[in-house]
Amino acid sequence: MKLISTAAFIFSFICSVSTSSPLVADIPARKPNIIFILVDDAGIGDFSTYGCKYGVTPNIDRLAAEGMKFTRAYSGSAVCAPSRCVLMTGQHPGHMLRRANQSKHGLLALPDGQLTSARLLQDAGYATGGFGKWGLGNPGTTGAAEKQGFDVFFGYYDQKHAHDFYTDHLVRNGVDIPYPQSGRKTWDDYSHTQITDETLKFIEQNKDRPFFCYAAWTPPHGDYVIPDNAPYSQKPWSEEVRNYAAMVGLIDKDVGRVLQKLEDLGLDENTLVIFTSDNGANEEFVKPLGSTGGLRGSKRMLYEGGIRAPFIARWPGRIQPNTTSDLLTTFVDFLPTAADLAGVPLPPAVDGISMVPTLLGKKQAARHELLYFEIYEPYFQQSVRLADWKGYRLGTKAPLELYDLKTDPAEQNNLAAIHPEIVRKIEGIMTAEHTPSPHYDAPEQPEKVTKAKEKTPKAKPLPELLNEENANPTPNDK
Ligand SMILES: [Ca+2]
């Protein structure tokens, strides 16, 4: 993959990608700690601050009450590895290496010399630790986490391994660590227990220097198992659904433990905490729990339900509490934001923008005019968000579906026939942003026209997702 492509240049031109210098005057003398909590496969409808219908997540509510909640945030992609690749490289899915979990050439590991968010922060003097699921290179490959900017990575390197919460081993910096099992499937046997403990230990060990803590926690994905599925044990759902709901509750509890640790260590005001999810909820949880918030589609799809993400940022004393932002953002923005926070120049060949002005309540000059996605599983899809327009297609020469997300957030009314000029514009964007990859074939027409392309029932989006323009934006965020 070319790091600087024509498409990258066009994208940067169209998107007014930030070239401004870091907001040094706005950043405290000591570089702020960054805790990025990335949960796996949780939908925006799983969290009470976004209108969850089946339970409450009080600690994540607290993050929003003490920080800024984003209403138009997107993950990196609609499945795990590509989403994490966007987060780490700052490149969008039409430019980066890992555009599906698998490829024609098997698992693709990040190459030597890849710029990652972790490497950037490590080079800027941060202690860097990752805990949970990596997925961008197995031990021994160039993509292993400890070769991509992490001082320490503990958990799962391989995504399939990450399904196993009662595993007999986890991995630390590429080395297998036995994980003792009592056989009773207790909390001590449950891998997330130790992964959270290691997350907290890393924060404590590095309290006196800037640190980047990447809490890539695996619940509520993987095998849907948990030692105790209270308070949902009596709900009239399948056991998997009860367990999934309880796994969301576990995440919430552990977010609370992180906040308590920061308070105990006196780090609140020097730590940015970001909470988000790597892709939309699995289709299995859409109907019983409303996990995609009533948006169309689910995990693996580039309709909103597959990519719209919860995204909350808390930084006491810096981010105004209880604020909402409708800034269009995806994981592509994390690397430039990290550069800004660390006071280092924005590297070239990055597709994102720094969100720091928005976080600090200042004028956000650099904005995305569009967001681009492509994915190759379960079939090829492209989507573009252009202001309130959403374009979607299943082949590079397939008919474009066009939706107005302002009036139709559930993507029900295809307006392509009455807005041909918008269709042509979005088709041009898709052509420009899609850089061919040797590892994936992008078909001209839909690959599996005989197969139902979507099983997700259509529902009414949650009120929180309907009234974006009525949200409570920060003063300079319009
Ligand atoms: Ca995932």
Side-chain angles (χ1 to χ4, degrees):
M1 181 175 62
K2 290 185 294 183
L3 284 181
I4 303 177
S5 65
T6 305
F9 174 76
I10 292 169
F11 184 83
S12 63
F13 178 74
I14 293 172
C15 300
S16 305
V17 167
S18 170
T19 53
S20 60
S21 56
L23 299 171
V24 175
D26 298 320
I27 304 299
R30 179 182 147 171
K31 295 171 181 178
N33 309 312
I34 303 170
I35 300 178
F36 195 100
I37 302 174
L38 179 71
V39 299
D40 199 345
D41 281 18
I44 196 165
D46 285 316
F47 303 103
S48 42
T49 187
Y50 285 99
C52 177
K53 290 182 173 173
Y54 66 87
V56 291
T57 45
N59 292 294
I60 295 162
D61 286 356
R62 180 185 161 195
L63 273 184
E66 296 178 357
M68 182 177 285
K69 178 169 74 172
F70 289 77
T71 57
R72 299 202 297 178
Y74 291 81
S75 54
S77 181
V79 295
C80 298
S83 191
R84 289 149 203 264
C85 194
V86 173
L87 181 72
M88 281 296 137
T89 66
Q91 295 176 308
H92 75 47
H95 292 155
M96 66 179 189
L97 176 74
R98 195 78 180 267
R99 305 187 191 183
N101 281 326
Q102 279 287 348
S103 79
K104 289 195 292 184
H105 306 121
L107 296 176
L108 300 174
L110 293 179
D112 276 334
Q114 174 70 53
L115 172 69
T116 65
S117 304
R119 173 75 71 204
L120 180 144
L121 290 167
Q122 189 180 52
D123 289 349
Y126 277 66
T128 56
F131 307 92
K133 181 162 96 178
W134 174 237
L136 297 176
N138 282 342
T141 71
T142 55
E146 67 275 13
K147 296 177 185 168
Q148 294 292 341
F150 283 97
D151 301 334
V152 58
F153 196 96
F154 178 79
Y156 305 98
Y157 280 51
D158 179 85
Q159 297 198 121
K160 285 194 173 161
H161 182 205
H163 292 185
D164 187 1
F165 284 95
Y166 296 113
T167 182
D168 63 1
H169 72 284
L170 290 169
V171 184
R172 185 192 302 275
N173 285 8
V175 178
D176 287 359
I177 307 293
Y179 198 75
Q181 296 288 314
S182 71
R184 298 191 304 276
K185 299 194 173 177
T186 64
W187 287 109
D188 284 342
D189 294 350
Y190 197 65
S191 64
H192 181 67
T193 301
Q194 189 168 346
I195 285 169
T196 312
D197 288 347
E198 292 279 335
T199 307
L200 298 172
K201 190 160 62 172
F202 173 82
I203 293 169
E204 183 149 1
Q205 285 172 340
N206 293 284
K207 63 182 169 57
D208 296 323
R209 58 177 292 198
F211 64 80
F212 168 47
C213 177
Y214 176 45
W217 295 342
T218 55
H221 184 30
D223 296 337
Y224 300 111
V225 293
I226 190 166
D228 178 359
N229 59 17
Y232 303 106
S233 310
Q234 304 306 315
K235 290 285 185 182
W237 307 330
S238 72
E239 189 71 359
E240 286 203 343
V241 173
R242 289 188 203 114
N243 290 348
Y244 174 90
M247 291 162 89
V248 171
L250 175 62
I251 287 166
D252 182 73
K253 180 172 74 69
D254 287 341
V255 166
R257 291 176 68 196
V258 168
L259 295 181
Q260 187 62 52
K261 178 62 73 178
L262 292 177
E263 185 180 335
D264 292 346
L265 296 173
L267 294 178
D268 269 339
E269 298 198 342
N270 202 33
T271 304
L272 169 66
V273 178
I274 293 173
F275 175 85
T276 188
S277 177
D278 71 339
N279 51 255
N282 200 304
E283 194 268 341
E284 181 178 357
F285 307 107
V286 173
K287 194 171 179 183
L289 300 179
S291 293
T292 49
L295 298 172
R296 182 172 180 177
S298 53
K299 178 182 179 180
R300 299 186 183 85
M301 304 195 70
L302 296 185
Y303 289 120
E304 295 289 289
I307 48 179
R308 189 80 78 88
F311 197 97
I312 305 168
R314 171 194 184 261
W315 187 3
R318 295 282 167 174
I319 295 177
Q320 280 286 104
N322 201 28
T323 46
T324 304
S325 172
D326 64 358
L327 184 74
L328 272 181
T329 181
T330 86
F331 287 5
V332 81
D333 295 333
F334 179 62
L335 188 148
T337 299
D340 217 347
L341 292 168
V344 298
L346 177 64
V350 169
D351 294 317
I353 58 173
S354 168
M355 302 166 66
V356 168
T358 292
L359 295 175
L360 300 184
K362 298 183 180 304
K363 182 173 174 54
Q364 180 78 44
R367 290 170 172 270
H368 291 289
E369 289 183 16
L370 62 92
L371 303 177
Y372 175 75
F373 298 88
E374 66 179 53
I375 196 170
Y376 296 74
E377 66 176 276
Y379 36 75
F380 178 73
Q381 302 161 71
Q382 286 175 293
S383 78
V384 163
R385 176 153 188 168
L386 178 68
D388 288 321
W389 293 109
K390 172 76 176 284
Y392 175 90
R393 71 182 181 189
L394 296 166
T396 58
K397 294 187 177 171
L400 188 88
E401 298 171 22
L402 181 69
Y403 303 99
D404 180 353
L405 295 180
K406 190 164 189 177
T407 58
D408 179 25
E411 300 170 280
Q412 301 294 295
N413 304 307
N414 182 359
L415 302 176
I418 56 174
H419 290 289
E421 75 291 356
I422 304 293
V423 168
R424 279 195 298 277
K425 187 168 184 181
I426 290 181
E427 286 174 339
I429 291 167
M430 286 180 171
T431 301
E433 299 309 321
H434 165 68
T435 306
S437 164
H439 306 296
Y440 304 95
D441 293 327
E444 292 187 349
Q445 295 296 332
E447 292 169 296
K448 297 177 181 175
V449 288
T450 57
K451 195 171 175 180
K453 68 174 186 169
E454 180 186 2
K455 294 186 290 183
T456 310
K458 290 165 182 161
K460 192 167 182 268
L462 294 168
E464 287 77 359
L465 305 179
L466 280 171
N467 298 314
E468 295 168 342
E469 73 276 17
N470 295 330
N472 236 351
T474 46
N476 296 308
D477 193 37
K478 277 290 181 189

